């Protein structure tokens, strides 16, 4: 009886392994395709075979040196732009989010609940409903087609994303605050010296999410930048490369560019996921 | 049902009971919402009434400086020796008057009409054409909203100024001295720390979220579109006409037809996307977390890579692979040894819709795997053991224990995902771009959902008024759903349960 039960379990597990292997392959096969074809050589724009027949590094070289007719597509510049924007907006957003979450979680003041409700309601409007208004607002400030505008756009609304880190702060025992208050600490000291050091997972999570944001967004960047190609971020840049005009020229360079962007972001994300699980399971158990 | 009775139910019955309760609660929740809204409105007006009463009372009781504070900000504080605050209040008044005189009023006075005189061409001496700048409805609206917001803020400062003057008057009468500048500054790090923390984010959100939102909500009531483009032509208030044209079901009314059809597809899409991801994701998570399966974290990482790669890369890639000469057709050609050229996304509406939903599984299932894995590990092991002793097979265990348990824990998340899918711009826009195109719709394709239609109306055809109206309607749908979740979610009710 026991033996047959074991046997049955082995057979079941074998099926599960088979399923996972097949599905895992299906899941990452587009990326394998992406990786392989970014190294594809030859004159053909779209490959006619699944596995490339010629291999080359030329697509990457074209992308970074501007050879092979990609000079008008300034990929290194786009990469640098995105990096700068990501750094600045990451700093500003992280600070805003943590400040707002701490205030909502720990401080008790008049209209706290009202502020939280307004924050929730604002989050429910479709995000880009306001993009036209933001565009004209930035235009009135003379900021359209600049990287400053992008930093502002990515970081200004950050304070609204307080839910996750507030949830995390809520789980830190209040007794700690009280003990510190008795010892004469101000709220400011409690925030910097007690709460923040205890919140490493959620701080890292917030930093990484806000850093990744500018690399992946593309609607807002497209509207703000218009045709100022020198100020593009990688997202709109890559989309430009498979636009109607360029599609039949730069397809392979597009694949190479996608790899260049996807690899670091993927690594960051996998790193972030660890902190996400730590932070969110701690902050979200009450669900 | 009493608590004991509830505890005696098996998980499946509990889930049924909870589901029933949830749906029975919807009317109640809505009613509750409206009573709460009514109460809030009453409270608001009572508050205003009290405010006026206080306003009068303070004036009667105030000394000369407090009375003068009603006209000139900060006089009360200055006369009581609180110099820095008095000067700040006074500066606010001066700046506001200057702002209104040189900028704000000029726009605000045209707010009711949104401008009369459009930009026009005049001929100097009857020959040389010259552009004469006229009004610009867009700027009038934008700066009017700005002026109104500033006015509200200044009004709040005005009231604070009066209260502060009166407070210092009473303090003086009691023989107390006003607090020093240094002490006040220290308070901003302790007792008033929330002001320090919140002012910068609130200011940012105010300028770049609230202000544009008010502006767009107002745009929904204007005829701002291609024919009414300032500065060449002006737009004006048209009341509810934009909403009217969306609900216009008369034969041949294209906008109304598009709206109904797209709403229908948006809901189908949201239901299909949410449930396919949910159920399939659960099956994947179960497989990965099954007892005796090794390399669990490897499998999870394998699937999570789809989320990790930026969506515009993976979806644009998918879009390219599904083109007529893309990788999928090449693969099919190689397998069948013939020339296959299927138009996955650009021809047949039904096929395109299926493709979009299936690709969305590819994008969305990993999210479910991530969130489910944690919950699955929390199901008490003894439940399974007792079921096995009672002779339940794997299928029975799944339907009787796992599924009800998961549904019970993740219902709020399910609705959040549903709302997220209604707003799922990226998948539709990057993958199919709303294609296949059709003549039947106004500025939309067969796979467009409401938010992508909104985007296209804004970007391609400049129907700003109509787009804003759609935005408001999408908000109403999402807000209603979120409200139901909000009323039912425990974590909102007892947020201090853990601290």
């Amino acid at each position: 009886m026991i033996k047959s039960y074991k046997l049955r379990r082995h057979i079941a597990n074998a099926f599960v392994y088979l399923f996972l292997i097949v599905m895992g392959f299906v899941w990452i096969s587009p990326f394998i395709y992406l990786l392989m074809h970014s190294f594809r050589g030859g004159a053909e724009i779209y490959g006619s075979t699944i596995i490339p027949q010629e291999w080359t590094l030329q697509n990457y070289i074209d992308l970074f040196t501007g050879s092979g007719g990609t000079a008008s597509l300034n990929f290194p510049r786009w990469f640098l732009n995105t990096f700068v924007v990501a750094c600045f907006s990451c700093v500003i957003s992280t600070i805003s989010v943590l400040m707002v979450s701490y205030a909502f979680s720990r401080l008790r003041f008049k209209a706290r609940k009202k502020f939280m409700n307004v924050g929730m309601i604002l989050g429910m409007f479709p995000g880009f409903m306001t993009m036209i208004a933001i565009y004209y607002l930035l235009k009135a400030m003379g900021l359209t087609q600049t990287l400053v505008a992008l930093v502002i756009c990515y970081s200004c609304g950050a304070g609204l994303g307080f839910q996750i880190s507030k949830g995390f702060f809520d789980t830190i025992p209040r007794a700690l605050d009280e003990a510190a208050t008795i010892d004469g600490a101000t709220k400011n000291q409690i925030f910097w010296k007690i709460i923040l050091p205890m919140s490493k997972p959620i701080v890292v999570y917030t930093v990484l999410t806000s850093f990744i944001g500018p690399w992946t967004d593309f609607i807002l960047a497209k509207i703000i930048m218009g045709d100022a190609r020198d100020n593009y971020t990688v997202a709109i840049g890559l989309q430009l490369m498979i636009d109607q005009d360029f599609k039949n020229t730069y397809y392979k360079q597009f694949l190479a560019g996608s790899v260049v962007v996807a690899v670091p972001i993927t690594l960051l994300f996998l790193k972030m996921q660890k902190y996400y699980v730590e932070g969110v399971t701690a902050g979200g158990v009450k669900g | 049902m009493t608590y004991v009775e509830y505890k005696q139910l098996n998980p499946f019955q509990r889930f049924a009971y909870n589901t029933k309760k949830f749906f029975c609660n919807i009317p109640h929740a809505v009613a509750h919402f409206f009573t709460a809204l009514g109460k809030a409105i009453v409270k608001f007006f009572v508050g205003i009434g009290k405010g006026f009463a206080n306003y009068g009372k303070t004036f009667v009781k105030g000394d000369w400086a407090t009375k003068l504070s009603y006209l000139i900000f900060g006089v009360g504080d200055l006369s009581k020796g609180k110099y820095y605050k008095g000067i700040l209040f006074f500066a606010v008044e001066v700046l506001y008057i200057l702002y209104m005189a040189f900028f704000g009023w000029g726009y605000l006075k045209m707010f009711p009409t949104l401008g009369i005189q459009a930009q026009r061409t005049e001929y100097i001496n009857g020959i040389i054409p010259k552009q004469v700048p006229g009004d610009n409805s867009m700027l009038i609206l934008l700066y009017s909203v700005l002026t109104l917001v500033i006015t509200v803020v200044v009004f709040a400062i005005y009231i604070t100024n009066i209260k502060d003057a009166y407070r210092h008057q009473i303090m003086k009468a009691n023989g107390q001295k006003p607090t020093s500048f240094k002490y006040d500054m220290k308070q901003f790090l302790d007792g008033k720390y929330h002001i320090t923390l919140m002012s910068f984010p609130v200011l940012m959100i105010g300028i770049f979220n609230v202000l544009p939102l008010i502006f767009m909500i107002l745009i929904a009531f204007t005829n701002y579109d291609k024919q009414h483009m300032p500065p060449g032509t002006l737009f004006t208030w048209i009341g509810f006409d934009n909403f009217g044209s969306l609900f216009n079901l008369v034969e041949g009314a294209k906008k109304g037809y598009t709206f109904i059809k797209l709403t229908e597809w948006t809901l189908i899409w949201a239901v299909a996307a949410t449930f396919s991801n949910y159920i399939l994701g659960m099956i994947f998570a179960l497989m990965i977390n099954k007892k005796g399966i090794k390399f669990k974290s490897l499998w999870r990482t394998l699937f999570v890579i789809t989320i990790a790669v930026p969506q515009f890369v993976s979806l644009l890639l998918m879009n390219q692979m599904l083109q007529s000469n893309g990788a999928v057709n090449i693969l099919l050609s190689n397998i069948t040894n013939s020339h296959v050229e299927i138009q996955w996304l650009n021809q047949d509406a039904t096929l395109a819709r299926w493709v979009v939903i299936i690709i969305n599984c590819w994008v969305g299932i990993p999210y479910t795997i991530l969130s489910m894995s944690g919950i699955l590990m929390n199901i008490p092991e003894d439940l399974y053991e007792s079921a096995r002793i009672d002779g339940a097979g794997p299928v029975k265990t799944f339907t009787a224990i796992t599924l009800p348990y998961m549904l019970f824990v993740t219902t709020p998340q399910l609705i959040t995902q549903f709302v997220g899918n209604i707003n799922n711009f990226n998948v539709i826009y990057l993958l199919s771009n709303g294609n296949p195109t059709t003549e039947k719709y106004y500025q939309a394709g067969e796979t467009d959902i409401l938010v992508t239609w909104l985007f296209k109306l804004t970007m391609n055809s400049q129907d700003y008024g109509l787009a804003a109206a759609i935005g408001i309607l999408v908000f109403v749908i999402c807000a209603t759903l979120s409200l139901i979740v909000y009323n039912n979610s425990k974590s909102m009710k007892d947020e201090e349960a853990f601290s």
Side-chain angles (χ1 to χ4, degrees):
Chain A
M1 178 67 197
I2 289 170
K3 208 174 178 184
S4 82
Y5 173 72
K6 257 191 178 168
L7 186 73
R8 250 177 42 199
R9 211 173 72 183
H10 276 301
I11 294 173
N13 278 355
F15 273 112
V16 172
Y17 277 124
L18 190 71
F19 176 83
L20 284 178
I21 289 169
V22 171
M23 279 303 154
F25 181 73
V26 168
W27 242 254
I28 59 165
S29 55
F31 300 121
I32 296 175
Y33 167 85
L34 172 68
L35 201 61
M36 281 194 314
H37 282 244
S38 70
F39 290 105
R40 176 161 51 82
E44 257 182 307
I45 295 299
Y46 303 99
S48 52
T49 51
I50 289 298
I51 295 176
Q53 279 146 346
E54 285 175 61
W55 299 81
T56 173
L57 276 173
Q58 194 57 44
N59 302 330
Y60 288 88
I61 296 169
D62 284 352
L63 202 62
F64 279 101
T65 60
S67 55
T70 53
S72 68
L73 310 172
N74 199 343
F75 189 79
R77 176 70 196 260
W78 296 341
F79 202 86
L80 189 69
N81 285 345
T82 321
F83 185 74
V84 171
V85 169
C87 286
F88 277 103
S89 67
C90 163
V91 172
I92 301 176
S93 334
T94 310
I95 293 175
S96 315
V97 172
L98 293 177
M99 288 198 308
V100 173
S101 330
Y102 177 75
F104 281 149
S105 162
R106 278 307 204 267
L107 307 176
R108 290 292 173 268
F109 50 93
K110 231 172 98 186
R112 183 182 76 101
K113 287 254 164 169
K114 275 186 202 126
F115 268 112
M116 278 168 64
N117 289 342
V118 170
M120 277 203 10
I121 292 169
L122 284 180
M124 276 180 230
F125 280 94
F128 40 86
M129 182 180 151
T130 55
M131 66 195 167
I132 286 305
I134 293 180
Y135 177 79
Y136 283 116
L137 208 61
L138 290 168
K139 204 171 173 185
M141 296 177 181
L143 285 175
T144 39
Q145 304 203 333
T146 62
L147 295 177
V148 180
L150 276 187
V151 174
I152 291 176
C153 284
Y154 292 137
S155 47
C156 65
L160 293 175
F162 59 84
Q163 254 98 357
I164 290 181
S165 37
K166 178 188 174 287
F168 186 87
F169 288 154
D170 280 345
T171 59
I172 298 177
R174 204 162 262 273
L176 285 176
D177 298 37
E178 280 153 17
T181 313
I182 291 168
D183 289 346
T186 61
K187 302 273 183 205
N188 183 41
Q189 285 164 329
I190 294 175
F191 178 47
W192 291 103
K193 296 200 172 139
I194 297 178
I195 303 291
L196 275 191
M198 289 185 70
S199 317
K200 194 184 158 210
I202 212 71
V203 174
V204 176
Y205 170 73
T206 318
V207 168
L208 289 178
T209 22
S210 44
F211 185 79
I212 292 176
W215 295 88
T216 55
D217 167 76
F218 115 130
I219 309 299
L220 214 57
K222 199 174 171 187
I223 292 164
I224 290 172
M225 286 310 169
D227 55 359
R229 274 193 207 160
D230 269 349
N231 286 340
Y232 271 16
T233 61
V234 280
I236 26 177
L238 286 176
Q239 209 238 358
L240 178 75
M241 289 167 87
I242 53 161
D243 207 9
Q244 291 304 326
D245 304 339
F246 294 115
K247 202 172 172 178
N248 295 322
T249 331
Y250 299 133
Y251 182 62
K252 283 187 289 183
Q253 282 87 347
F254 160 77
L255 295 177
S258 300
V259 173
V260 172
V261 177
V263 168
I265 297 300
T266 310
L267 294 179
L268 277 184
F269 184 90
L270 293 178
K271 179 107 187 133
M272 176 189 89
Q273 190 215 325
K274 197 183 111 204
Y275 289 103
Y276 175 78
V277 172
E278 273 177 36
V280 173
T281 43
V285 255
K286 301 176 286 171
Chain B
M1 188 182 291
T2 63
Y3 181 73
V4 178
E5 278 171 341
Y6 177 74
K7 281 285 158 188
Q8 283 167 346
L9 297 177
N10 69 33
F12 198 63
Q13 284 166 320
R14 271 189 211 178
F15 174 70
Y17 173 72
N18 280 316
T19 319
K20 204 184 98 195
K21 209 170 90 184
F22 175 75
F23 284 106
C24 293
N25 262 339
I26 291 178
H28 178 74
V30 172
H32 178 77
F33 170 69
F34 280 108
T35 37
L37 195 71
K39 270 185 198 158
I41 291 171
V42 170
K43 215 171 143 190
F44 179 72
F45 280 106
V46 170
I48 287 184
K50 266 190 192 160
F52 269 113
N54 266 337
Y55 186 79
K57 221 161 53 188
T58 318
F59 189 75
V60 175
K61 283 190 191 164
D63 61 359
W64 65 272
T66 312
K67 279 183 179 145
L68 203 55
S69 297
Y70 277 69
L71 270 183
I72 305 170
F73 290 21
V75 175
D77 279 9
L78 280 173
S79 76
K80 305 294 180 311
K82 184 103 177 175
Y83 296 114
Y84 84 92
K85 226 173 175 178
I87 291 169
L88 279 179
F89 278 134
F90 186 67
V92 167
E93 183 173 14
V94 172
L95 286 177
Y96 180 68
I97 290 172
L98 288 178
Y99 169 81
M100 280 310 255
F102 290 104
F103 188 81
W105 180 244
Y107 286 106
L108 199 59
K109 71 170 187 236
M110 288 192 279
F111 184 62
T113 56
L114 292 178
I116 306 157
Q117 187 68 58
Q119 176 181 304
R120 63 199 184 281
T121 317
E122 270 177 13
Y123 294 92
I124 301 171
N125 304 330
I127 314 159
I128 310 156
K130 185 181 174 251
Q131 292 276 324
V132 180
D135 303 333
N136 184 334
S137 313
M138 222 278 309
L139 290 180
I140 292 171
L141 190 57
L142 188 62
Y143 291 134
S144 298
V145 171
L146 182 70
T147 310
L148 286 175
V149 171
I150 288 178
T151 307
V152 169
V153 172
V154 170
F155 184 73
I157 293 174
Y158 171 63
I159 295 295
T160 321
N161 146 61
I162 290 173
K163 277 187 185 162
D164 214 51
Y166 189 61
R167 192 166 62 88
H168 280 102
Q169 184 192 332
I170 288 183
M171 276 171 77
K172 202 183 178 188
N174 292 342
Q176 289 165 308
K177 274 194 173 164
T179 51
S180 71
F181 176 71
K182 211 172 148 193
Y183 176 82
D184 285 357
M185 284 302 113
K186 266 191 185 157
Q187 276 301 301
F188 277 114
L189 290 180
D190 197 16
K192 290 181 184 165
Y193 195 38
H194 57 273
I195 299 181
T196 322
L197 290 181
M198 301 279 292
S199 45
F200 172 69
V202 167
L203 187 72
M204 294 288 267
I205 292 168
I207 296 176
F208 291 101
N209 281 64
V210 178
L211 194 70
L213 204 59
I214 299 175
F215 176 77
M216 285 322 278
I217 291 174
L218 290 175
I219 286 280
F221 301 97
T222 67
N223 59 352
Y224 191 7
D225 59 21
K226 223 181 214 161
Q227 276 80 46
H228 302 87
M229 268 294 180
T233 41
L234 301 176
F235 61 82
T236 187
W237 302 108
I238 53 162
F240 283 89
D241 285 8
N242 283 324
F243 295 91
S245 68
L246 286 178
F247 289 109
N248 183 3
L249 298 177
V250 185
E251 194 83 19
K254 225 174 174 186
K255 289 175 189 169
Y257 179 74
T258 315
F259 179 70
I260 297 301
K261 281 290 170 193
L262 287 192
T263 312
E264 201 181 295
W265 162 237
T266 306
L267 292 177
I268 295 173
W269 150 259
V271 170
T274 311
F275 283 95
S276 63
N277 282 352
Y278 185 76
I279 294 180
L280 294 174
M282 197 190 314
I283 293 173
F284 276 69
L286 281 174
M287 298 254 179
I288 293 173
N289 289 301
K290 191 176 182 309
K291 242 186 177 178
I293 296 293
K294 284 182 184 136
F295 317 116
K296 288 190 165 52
S297 68
L298 172 84
W299 296 119
R300 222 171 288 147
T301 314
L302 202 64
F303 289 107
V304 165
I305 284 179
T306 339
I307 319 181
V309 175
Q311 262 191 352
F312 76 92
V313 170
S314 54
L315 290 172
L316 283 178
L317 175 71
M318 271 295 172
N319 173 290
Q320 291 299 316
M321 287 173 74
L322 291 167
Q323 297 300 321
S324 54
N325 52 357
V328 176
N329 281 335
I330 293 174
L331 184 68
L332 289 178
S333 304
N334 287 356
I335 292 171
T336 57
N337 233 341
S338 61
H339 187 68
V340 178
E341 207 168 282
I342 302 175
Q343 295 279 1
W344 295 101
L345 290 168
N346 297 329
Q347 212 166 41
D348 181 37
T350 321
L351 178 67
R353 287 178 175 189
W354 275 106
V355 170
V356 170
I357 289 174
I358 290 169
I359 300 293
N360 183 61
C361 284
W362 180 69
V363 175
I365 284 178
Y367 283 102
T368 324
I369 297 178
L370 260 191
S371 61
M372 291 265 174
S373 294
I375 303 167
L376 276 176
M377 285 178 229
N378 284 340
I379 301 183
E381 190 59 31
D382 48 346
L383 273 182
Y384 286 113
E385 244 156 55
S386 56
R388 210 158 38 225
I389 292 167
D390 290 347
V395 177
K396 183 76 188 164
T397 350
F398 178 74
T399 54
I401 298 175
T402 318
L403 191 63
Y405 188 92
M406 298 296 278
L407 280 173
F408 178 65
V409 178
T410 54
T411 320
Q413 199 191 338
L414 208 57
I415 295 178
T416 322
Q417 271 178 10
F418 188 80
V419 172
N421 274 323
I422 291 178
N423 279 317
N424 201 338
F425 177 82
N426 271 355
V427 172
I428 303 287
Y429 182 75
L430 294 174
L431 187 61
S432 73
N433 197 5
N435 287 339
T437 47
T438 168
E439 278 298 303
K440 287 181 290 178
Y441 290 170
Y442 178 77
Q443 294 290 341
E446 297 271 8
T447 53
D448 264 322
I449 56 175
L450 285 175
V451 283
T452 53
W453 189 35
L454 187 164
F455 183 77
K456 283 183 174 175
L457 283 176
T458 324
M459 297 315 286
N460 303 346
S461 65
Q462 279 98 28
D463 280 306
Y464 298 125
L466 197 64
I470 295 167
I472 291 175
L473 291 173
V474 172
F475 165 75
V476 170
I477 298 173
C478 294
T480 317
L481 287 169
S482 307
L483 200 77
I484 296 169
V485 183
Y486 178 81
N487 275 342
N488 281 296
S489 126
K490 269 190 228 130
S491 68
M492 281 295 174
K493 282 174 197 156
D494 30 79
E495 65 179 327
E496 279 174 40
F498 269 74
S499 35

